[in-house]
Amino acid sequence: MDNKEDKLRMTRAEAGRKGGLATAKKHSPEFYKKIGQKGGRSTADKHDKDFYQGIGQKGGSSTSEKHTSDFYKEIGQKGGSSTARKFDKDFYREIGRKGGETAAKNRNNQVESGNG
């Protein structure tokens, strides 16, 4: 093969990128939403809770290796601000009550099992 033929060949990545761009021009965001939902349902049918916990832990570990505590502080503040705009005081009162009940149960279980 000479240099001219080498230049005419695409790598697999280049071919994939070209195909992806062509597909993106043909389909709407709604198309991608539908196929994403279909794939999500299929994955959920094939895997259990442990699978999702495993991939969540891998993603969390990967993210924590790439970011500092400032990143988590910033996204926490964004999430808190967004939640505050969407919910009223009753929401916070209810989640506080649930959290308090859970904490009390955990304390009682530790005392009963001799770990507290």
Side-chain angles (χ1 to χ4, degrees), residues 31-49 51-52 55:
F31 166 81
Y32 287 101
K33 181 179 176 183
K34 286 180 184 176
I35 64 170
Q37 289 171 339
K38 185 177 178 182
R41 282 191 298 273
S42 177
T43 302
D45 289 344
K46 294 174 185 169
H47 298 285
D48 62 5
K49 181 176 126 182
F51 168 79
Y52 288 100
I55 61 174

Side-chain angles (χ1 to χ4, degrees), residues 21 26 29 37 39 65 68 72 79 81-82 84 116:
L21 291 171
K26 292 179 190 174
Q37 289 171 339
E65 290 170 6
T68 66
Y72 290 101
S81 296
S82 176

Side-chain angles (χ1 to χ4, degrees), residues 83-84 86-98:
T83 302
K86 294 176 186 171
F87 298 98
D88 62 10
K89 289 180 183 178
D90 290 337
F91 168 79
Y92 288 100
R93 202 172 288 122
E94 181 64 13
I95 63 171
R97 184 188 62 73
K98 287 179 179 179

